[in-house]
Amino acid sequence: MRVTVIGAGYVGLVTAACFADVGNTVVCVERDPRRIAALRKAQVPFYEPGLSELVARNAQASRMRFVEDVAQGLPGAQVCFIAVGTPPLPSGQADMSQVRGAAAEIGRCVDGPLVVVQKSTAPVGTVAMVQGIIDQEMAARGVQHWVRVVSNPEFLKEGSAIDDFTRGDRIVLGSRDERAVAVMRELYRPFNRNHEKIMVMDPASSELTKYAANTMLATRISFMNEVARLAEAVGADIEQVRLGMGVDQRIGSHFLYAGAGYGGSCFPKDVKALAFMAREAGLRAELTEAVDSVNQRQKQRLFEKIAAHFAAEGLRGKTIAVWGLAFKPNTDDMRDAPAIDLIEALLGAGARVRAFDPVAMDAARRLWGQREGLELVADAPGALEGADALVVVTEWHAFRSPDFEQLARSLKARVVFDGRNLWEPASVRAAGLQYHGIGRS
Ligand SMILES: NC(=O)c1ccc[n+]([C@@H]2O[C@H](COP(=O)([O-])OP(=O)(O)OC[C@H]3O[C@@H](n4cnc5c(N)ncnc54)[C@H](O)[C@@H]3O)[C@@H](O)[C@H]2O)c1
């Protein structure tokens, strides 16, 4: 099939590359000059395991090409994905300007029958809104083509995006149009062979499914962070509690980790957007609002622990080593990452910070540039130079088994803050370090 994908971010580029890899001809439309310049050299402008090889292979085979605007990328397409950003507005509402912009461009350029696939995470009513914009633009041009908009939320996770896309649990399609659904079934056929994964539902249910799924996962994390606080107060260990809970098959072990709070480009904004949607519907999503506020508070937790530890001397003039900047391992995405809150709070308190992340250093430089008090260093040992304390914020594999004796020799105050409960407190203490985890009294 001939496929166009608008937006070559984490979702759009993975979608494009995976469809190209099974033989479709895919055009990616990307308006960001930095991203398009890299893509034209078959380079992926962000870190996602396996994606560079996939893009290079399909660009080389002429199954993928990259253009700057929809007018160049849409003619001849049978399916056009919208995979643009839907960042949060201050009210929590999803900013739909990129989706509206993409819809208008499609309406101005469409030249034949087309299924438009709304893949961006967007509130209930977006399919109807996109359809309305396209119809209006076609009417303004005096043309009439069969164009149908289908909701197809994306459930991939950064860090394992290709696997999630090609072997995901389900493929949700929100549409009442049989012909559009048939086109989508045909497009997804290579990823739907082992067993039936396609779930067809009405557009509103499909749109809400995505928000509900992300909010559920965020709820588990905030719940565990709340229980971690209680564990600290009453003398329990959240890691023992987590194991005791997770074996219960009604609960399961995923997303039960207490830590530095959830971040990334999805959970924080999707939780807020669900709460906003409820308010718009005249309801109050009390649980969802609490999930968000517990998380905001949790993102301050590491700073509070560090400040409490150094309360006598104060943080001014102290140097804190930070391991991990990305919001989770295997990505360079720093959107809403807990490391940002921590580092801003440390700098605000007069501390100096030496920070390292295995892949997010470019993202960190773009975020902070030259920032007084902050040094972005080349490797994990480099962060320890002259440091009083170490805090681990992202659970990269490379941080899981450091040489604690070496750490004890390097850190002036001989103290570590384990924001992801990666380490065994007893082994850390045996090396002569003080240990602070999350929810471990
Ligand atoms: N990142 C994830 O893990 C993930 C997972 C599931 C769903 N989602 C959702 O998918 C959507 C996209 O997320 P993302 O992380 O890929 O976003 P992103 O910000 O990385 O990428 C979006 C891209 O779209 C481009 N763009 C916007 N308007 C355009 C236009 N008119 N023409 C050409 N390019 C345009 C932007 O320049 C940007 O590069 C969001 O709604 C997000 O919530 C993201």
Side-chain angles (χ1 to χ4, degrees):
M1 276 194 199
R2 293 182 305 279
V3 177
T4 297
V5 178
I6 304 177
Y10 292 83
V11 167
L13 198 56
V14 169
T15 302
C18 290
F19 281 127
D21 208 46
V22 291
N24 298 291
T25 305
V26 182
V27 186
C28 289
V29 183
E30 175 52 63
R31 66 180 184 188
D32 177 333
R34 187 184 67 89
R35 284 191 166 174
I36 195 82
L39 288 168
R40 286 196 166 137
K41 290 184 254 162
Q43 290 166 1
V44 173
F46 46 83
Y47 179 84
E48 178 59 44
L51 190 55
S52 293
E53 295 81 345
L54 206 59
V55 168
R57 179 164 80 228
N58 286 287
Q60 174 74 27
S62 303
R63 285 192 297 266
M64 265 184 111
R65 64 190 178 90
F66 307 97
V67 301
E68 280 160 324
D69 58 59
V70 177
Q72 290 170 277
L74 194 63
Q78 296 158 283
V79 177
C80 176
F81 283 84
I82 298 178
V84 300
T86 47
L89 292 168
S91 61
Q93 184 180 17
D95 178 350
M96 296 300 292
S97 57
Q98 292 183 39
V99 173
R100 276 198 296 271
E105 288 173 65
I106 293 168
R108 286 197 286 271
C109 304
V110 58
D111 64 347
L114 182 71
V115 176
V116 174
V117 189
Q118 213 308 98
K119 206 173 228 336
S120 299
T121 303
V124 173
T126 301
V127 163
M129 180 194 81
V130 169
Q131 185 77 56
I133 293 173
I134 296 172
D135 291 348
Q136 219 177 351
E137 290 290 344
M138 285 199 295
R141 288 198 285 146
V143 299
Q144 260 189 336
H145 296 294
W146 178 87
V147 179
R148 291 292 180 277
V149 184
V150 173
S151 160
N152 171 219
E154 182 51 58
F155 299 95
L156 64 77
K157 300 182 290 301
E158 289 174 20
S160 57
I162 295 168
D163 218 44
D164 291 347
F165 188 90
T166 54
R167 284 193 271 271
D169 297 323
R170 72 301 216 189
I171 298 164
V172 172
L173 300 176
S175 173
R176 292 196 188 86
D177 190 289
E178 278 179 26
R179 181 173 160 192
V181 170
V183 172
M184 292 304 289
R185 279 190 183 281
E186 180 54 23
L187 182 65
Y188 271 112
R189 202 169 39 81
F191 307 118
N192 192 38
R193 291 186 67 209
N194 182 271
H195 61 279
E196 181 61 49
K197 290 187 205 166
I198 292 180
M199 305 170 90
V200 182
M201 52 183 85
D202 61 278
S205 302
S206 166
E207 291 165 327
L208 190 55
T209 297
K210 173 65 192 174
Y211 282 108
N214 271 1
T215 303
M216 180 66 177
L217 295 172
T219 301
R220 288 171 69 99
I221 296 173
S222 275
F223 176 74
M224 291 309 284
N225 284 330
E226 186 160 282
V227 178
R229 281 197 166 223
L230 181 59
E232 286 176 11
V234 299
D237 180 350
I238 192 67
E239 286 303 300
Q240 301 297 321
V241 176
R242 173 177 69 77
L243 295 171
M245 289 170 66
V247 291
D248 186 329
Q249 290 189 6
R250 295 166 304 174
I251 297 174
S253 57
H254 295 293
F255 285 82
L256 284 190
Y257 291 87
Y262 60 75
S265 65
C266 293
F267 286 6
K269 81 168 172 62
D270 293 350
V271 167
K272 288 187 177 79
L274 189 137
F276 183 88
M277 239 187 292
R279 287 199 293 279
E280 288 282 281
L283 303 168
R284 232 191 114 194
E286 289 168 72
L287 179 58
T288 304
E289 285 175 14
V291 167
D292 182 39
S293 57
V294 167
N295 193 56
Q296 311 267 9
R297 205 178 57 186
Q298 193 68 15
K299 284 174 142 192
Q300 297 303 320
R301 196 75 190 113
L302 276 171
F303 174 73
E304 286 164 9
K305 284 173 183 273
I306 298 168
H309 182 85
F310 289 106
E313 312 126 88
L315 277 169
R316 190 160 297 281
K318 294 277 179 254
T319 298
I320 310 296
V322 175
W323 282 0
L325 297 171
F327 83 93
K328 67 173 187 177
N330 297 321
T331 183
D332 61 353
D333 200 339
M334 283 193 62
R335 286 178 279 186
D336 261 330
I340 300 175
D341 300 68
L342 172 67
I343 289 176
E344 289 297 343
L346 287 169
L347 295 174
R352 302 186 66 78
V353 175
R354 295 176 66 78
F356 168 71
D357 186 280
V359 302
M361 299 310 280
D362 283 342
R365 276 183 215 106
R366 282 196 297 277
L367 181 73
W368 278 299
Q370 289 294 326
R371 181 70 189 273
E372 176 82 33
L374 172 63
E375 254 189 279
L376 300 169
V377 301
D379 52 28
L384 305 174
E385 282 169 25
D388 293 275
L390 167 66
V391 47
V392 60
V393 191
T394 315
E395 64 273 40
W396 283 96
H397 263 272
F399 301 154
R400 290 184 186 214
S401 276
D403 179 342
F404 293 117
E405 316 246 315
Q406 177 65 41
L407 280 182
R409 283 193 295 276
S410 305
L411 297 170
K412 284 189 264 178
R414 291 179 156 244
V415 57
V416 294
F417 298 87
D418 179 1
R420 299 290 175 183
N421 291 349
L422 289 184
W423 303 326
E424 200 40 55
S427 333
V428 180
R429 289 184 183 124
L433 288 158
Q434 291 186 65
Y435 176 87
H436 297 274
I438 303 285
R440 317 183 91 176
S441 58

